[in-house]
Amino acid sequence: MKENTKVTADVSREVAESARQTEWQLPSFAGGLFMGNFDASPMLPYTDLPEAERKATDEFCKKLDDYLVNNYDADEVDRTGKIPPHHIEHLKKMGLFNMKIPKEYGGLGFSQLAFTKAAMVVASHCGSLTAWMSAHQSIGVPQPLKYFGTKEQKDKYFPMMANGALSAFALTEPDVGSDPARLATTAELTEDGKHWIINGDKLWTTNGVIAELLVVMARTVHPETGKKGITAFIVETNTPGFEVIHRCEFMGIRAIENGLLRFTNVKVPFDAVIGGINKGLKLALATLNTGRLTLPAASAGGGKLATRIVRKWAQDRAQWGQVIGKHDAVSGQIAYIASHTFAIEAIALVVSQMADQGKADIRIEAAMAKLFTTEHGWNLLDKMIQVRGGRGYETAISLSERGEMGYPAERMLRDMRINRILEGSTEIMHLFLAREALDVHLKKGGDLLNPKVSIGKKLVALMKAGAFYAPWYISRYIPTVPGSSFAKEPAQLHKYYKYVGKTSKVLARTIFHKMNKYVAALEFKQRILGRIVDIGTDLFSIAATAAYAGFMLKENPNDKSVLSVVETYFTFAKQRIEQNFAELDKNFDSEQRKFGIDIIDDKLTWLEDGAISEASTRKPNFDKINKKTAKTEAVAEPD
């Protein structure tokens, strides 16, 4: 292990905490749920796009759909692992990769909501193409450039991208996943202070193999203060010393251009810094607030296609005297698929509109959107495979060649699986949201939970906390929910908002009880925290679903079918909420954790007896990596 990656848990925590946005300058609907403060106004009303923008977006999506359906063979792309260049060139001209580039620089200037709608179309057809457009526009150069770029940087790089240059975001390293304190890539200032010299490896950089522009995260020392931190740089990949070491291959989204990148004495100008020296992680987190929203869009697109697939199959396939859709076991799975697809779409659209309006702090909503939609997006596709049976496991090409409809069920499942991992895994989302959920509590009584704080400070903290918690705690038992924030929504939906408001008070009390029970140890009760987060996320999903349903009812008051969708989704969400509350008090976490530790401590290796020997697995190809390094070092010395 490299010396600068030997970090303690305290150091990792400190680095992550330093990157957090600590203040709440705007309201957060989802954040309020963890404190039992219900106010739906930050997310209401959902109104969709303004009429002119909606028409333009619908026309763009229709043109996109026509091209993909009639020209782009997603199954062949999956089989070969490559998107043919002529498709990329045509889609560039169409504007697929320019949606988030401002109009004044030659782009389409789409809002986040318009982008989300286009992403649904693409995702329902090809996961690999979705990754191309998302890596470039959601977390690549356009998003941070829009928020943090200087005028000079915008004037230089936006036109490049409007003319076809693709970008990528390089943070992950071979030894760095969710823990940025372990970052090994460095950027050192030259003696004259005019350039930075970047050295290090970046792994799993989507679009990195073909990108012309990168956002690169590297360890830096501030030239004025001497403080260490992490800085973001815009790097052009034609710079000497940059090299693609390996193009990665994956279970799904097989045509993405993702790889291991190496920077050997890569020399960039001083003003290549974006967002400020040592402020790279803040830039990354702020970018992800909206960057993560492509995943809900992708999950919605997949869910919509899955709903169509199971509907057609369940009404045509007959077994045991009736079509399979009328068997209870199958109809229940179809109900889950369809109702959760609606919830996923609602979250994708509602949070996208919140991002565009800028009236709320959406860091919690965006993280919840990522967590909820990728988990349930995976679940509903798994159920789609089960409903389809053997045909769900068979490839679309094989189905078609033997005379059946070639539904890409197995490809959809493979493509979806990565979404629970990238841009913050489910486990990291739980921890991120738990930290935000506890934010007010830690500010009010953090010293009480800190074992390193003196008794004197604890007493002071206790007095301050008591002044806050005494009235707060009592008020969490008052069952009434203020209805002013949702009063203008259709009356049929009010019960859902009231349920969310009442249950949020129960959640807030529960969090308070768990903090008192576990004190500082709560930090390590990750499954307890995960259940708390899942309850809050389900409450948010109910409210978002009601908000989207409200829009649909206002648009077409005579069509009440949306009410059955909302009610069905509500039954699933309520069931999960009740189960999670129950498991907060009665679970087997300790026993299961102990067993897991015994496994990694080699106490039960006999469980592996009878499997293929370890010697039969593939070994690392160090020769390929070392040859690349030697070649790079020979030609990439700085001036």
Side-chain angles (χ1 to χ4, degrees):
M1 185 183 293
K2 296 180 181 179
E3 186 65 30
N4 64 354
T5 62
K6 290 183 178 179
V7 295
T8 65
D10 287 342
V11 171
S12 294
R13 191 181 300 107
E14 182 180 345
V15 170
E17 192 67 19
S18 67
R20 283 187 65 247
Q21 181 180 338
T22 57
E23 300 301 322
W24 294 86
Q25 298 177 346
L26 295 171
S28 167
F29 167 70
L33 296 178
F34 293 110
M35 292 298 294
N37 299 326
F38 177 82
D39 178 6
S41 57
M43 65 187 304
L44 291 177
Y46 175 77
T47 57
D48 205 82
L49 296 167
E51 187 57 36
E53 187 181 4
R54 191 195 304 193
K55 182 179 179 182
T57 302
D58 288 346
E59 289 175 353
F60 178 83
C61 289
K62 177 64 167 62
K63 183 168 64 173
L64 184 59
D65 179 65
D66 288 343
Y67 179 80
L68 293 177
V69 169
N70 295 312
N71 300 280
Y72 184 106
D73 189 340
D75 295 301
E76 184 66 13
V77 166
D78 177 71
R79 188 186 69 79
T80 62
K82 284 285 186 180
I83 299 177
H86 70 274
H87 284 313
I88 297 299
E89 291 307 311
H90 183 91
L91 292 166
K92 281 182 179 179
K93 293 177 181 177
M94 189 182 294
L96 182 66
F97 298 99
N98 284 348
M99 287 187 284
K100 285 195 173 183
I101 307 299
K103 289 183 179 179
E104 59 265 34
Y105 293 102
L108 298 183
F110 271 23
S111 64
Q112 180 61 45
L113 183 52
F115 178 86
T116 291
K117 292 191 172 191
M120 284 187 196
V121 174
V122 177
S124 65
H125 192 74
C126 179
S128 293
L129 183 58
T130 309
W132 273 63
M133 60 172 276
S134 176
H136 167 55
Q137 295 177 91
S138 295
I139 58 172
V141 172
Q143 200 79 358
L145 187 63
K146 176 182 177 181
Y147 291 148
F148 300 100
T150 64
K151 183 180 185 304
E152 292 74 17
Q153 289 172 332
K154 292 177 180 178
D155 289 344
K156 179 179 181 180
Y157 294 119
F158 272 141
M160 284 180 61
M161 291 182 287
N163 289 326
L166 295 179
S167 67
F169 184 83
L171 170 61
T172 303
E173 298 180 1
D175 196 39
V176 182
S178 60
D179 184 0
R182 300 172 67 88
L183 201 76
T185 298
T186 60
E188 297 181 355
L189 204 57
T190 56
E191 289 187 6
D192 61 10
K194 294 181 179 180
H195 295 85
W196 298 89
I197 306 298
I198 301 176
N199 283 281
D201 289 353
K202 295 293 181 181
L203 180 62
W204 296 331
T205 305
T206 304
N207 284 1
V209 175
I210 46 87
E212 295 178 49
L213 297 171
L214 300 171
V215 175
V216 180
M217 295 290 176
R219 300 177 71 89
T220 49
V221 176
H222 199 290
E224 297 177 3
T225 65
K227 289 185 177 181
K228 297 179 180 180
I230 296 173
T231 300
F233 297 87
I234 297 179
V235 178
E236 299 179 37
T237 58
N238 62 2
T239 306
F242 170 79
E243 187 175 10
V244 176
I245 299 296
H246 176 73
R247 179 182 184 256
C248 301
E249 297 179 17
F250 300 102
M251 174 197 300
I253 51 173
R254 298 192 64 249
I256 64 172
E257 298 291 344
N258 179 305
L260 174 64
L261 313 179
R262 178 154 296 161
F263 301 80
T264 305
N265 297 327
V266 173
K267 187 176 182 180
V268 298
F270 180 82
D271 59 9
V273 172
I274 180 169
I277 298 173
N278 290 352
K279 296 181 180 180
L281 290 182
K282 286 184 178 291
L283 174 146
L285 289 177
T287 299
L288 282 173
N289 281 342
T290 50
R292 287 191 174 112
L293 297 184
T294 305
L295 293 174
S299 299
K304 286 174 174 291
L305 183 55
T307 301
R308 180 184 303 156
I309 290 171
V310 297
R311 174 177 60 82
K312 289 180 174 294
W313 179 244
Q315 65 190 198
D316 292 337
R317 175 72 164 174
Q319 296 284 285
W320 301 100
Q322 60 182 345
V323 294
I324 64 170
K326 292 187 178 180
H327 288 291
D328 181 57
V330 176
S331 61
Q333 296 192 77
I334 294 173
Y336 177 97
I337 292 168
S339 64
H340 281 73
T341 293
F342 183 82
I344 289 170
E345 180 181 22
I347 290 172
L349 297 177
V350 168
V351 180
S352 292
Q353 181 171 272
M354 293 174 73
D356 288 332
Q357 291 176 339
K359 297 187 299 183
D361 187 321
I362 65 163
R363 74 183 95 156
I364 291 182
E365 283 83 351
M368 282 182 169
K370 192 278 177 187
L371 170 65
F372 179 94
T373 63
T374 57
E375 283 295 307
H376 291 288
W378 165 261
N379 290 341
L380 68 84
L381 292 188
D382 183 59
K383 291 180 186 297
M384 171 194 68
I385 295 287
Q386 194 68 23
V387 171
R388 282 279 287 169
R391 289 168 176 81
Y393 198 69
E394 189 174 0
T395 68
I397 291 176
S398 176
L399 286 164
S400 176
E401 289 182 347
R402 66 177 182 79
E404 293 198 25
M405 289 296 297
Y407 291 121
E410 61 84 31
R411 170 169 60 83
M412 292 166 64
L413 189 74
R414 286 188 288 107
D415 286 351
M416 175 65 78
R417 186 59 183 85
I418 188 58
N419 293 346
R420 297 175 61 216
I421 299 172
L422 55 73
E423 293 185 28
S425 68
T426 292
E427 293 74 20
I428 291 301
M429 288 295 93
H430 275 145
L431 295 180
F432 171 82
L433 285 165
R435 174 61 185 87
E436 297 299 342
L438 298 176
D439 189 51
V440 175
H441 294 293
L442 293 174
K443 287 177 178 176
K444 298 293 182 181
D447 285 345
L448 296 173
L449 305 178
N450 189 345
K452 297 180 181 180
V453 171
S454 67
I455 296 297
K457 287 187 175 181
K458 283 184 182 293
L459 290 173
V460 173
L462 180 62
M463 293 176 63
K464 291 182 178 179
F468 168 78
Y469 280 113
W472 175 85
Y473 184 73
I474 294 172
S475 67
R476 298 313 92 171
Y477 280 94
I478 299 174
T480 56
V481 176
S484 57
S485 63
F486 58 86
K488 294 182 180 180
E489 293 299 292
Q492 304 98 311
L493 301 171
H494 286 193
K495 71 172 187 177
Y496 303 114
Y497 294 110
K498 290 178 180 178
Y499 173 82
V500 172
K502 290 179 181 179
T503 309
S504 73
K505 293 186 177 185
V506 180
L507 177 61
R509 298 197 308 261
T510 302
I511 294 172
F512 181 75
H513 296 158
K514 296 304 176 186
M515 290 184 68
N516 279 278
K517 178 179 179 179
Y518 295 112
V519 197
L522 182 60
E523 174 188 357
F524 305 103
K525 299 291 183 179
Q526 293 176 358
R527 280 185 283 179
I528 291 289
L529 293 173
R531 293 181 185 103
I532 287 171
V533 165
D534 284 341
I535 292 169
T537 300
D538 270 326
L539 291 176
F540 168 66
S541 74
I542 293 169
T545 303
Y548 184 43
F551 163 75
M552 295 183 69
L553 284 171
K554 294 171 189 174
E555 288 278 288
N556 191 355
N558 295 323
D559 185 358
K560 307 295 185 183
S561 61
V562 67
L563 293 175
S564 69
V565 183
V566 179
E567 178 62 21
T568 301
Y569 173 69
F570 175 66
T571 62
F572 281 111
K574 184 179 180 182
Q575 192 171 22
R576 283 194 301 269
I577 289 168
E578 291 175 353
Q579 180 177 342
N580 274 317
F581 270 126
E583 290 183 2
L584 284 172
D585 294 321
K586 186 176 182 179
N587 58 66
F588 298 97
D589 292 355
S590 297
E591 294 87 344
Q592 293 163 2
R593 171 180 163 78
K594 181 181 182 303
F595 181 79
I597 297 298
D598 285 346
I599 293 292
I600 65 172
D601 284 345
D602 294 337
K603 294 180 179 179
L604 296 161
T605 55
W606 57 265
L607 286 168
E608 302 163 24
D609 293 348
I612 192 170
S613 66
E614 187 175 349
S616 300
T617 57
R618 297 185 70 88
K619 301 299 181 183
N621 187 354
F622 292 117
D623 288 342
K624 174 183 178 181
I625 303 302
N626 292 337
K627 286 179 181 177
K628 289 279 188 178
T629 304
K631 176 183 176 182
T632 304
E633 290 176 345
V635 299
E637 289 298 319
D639 296 336

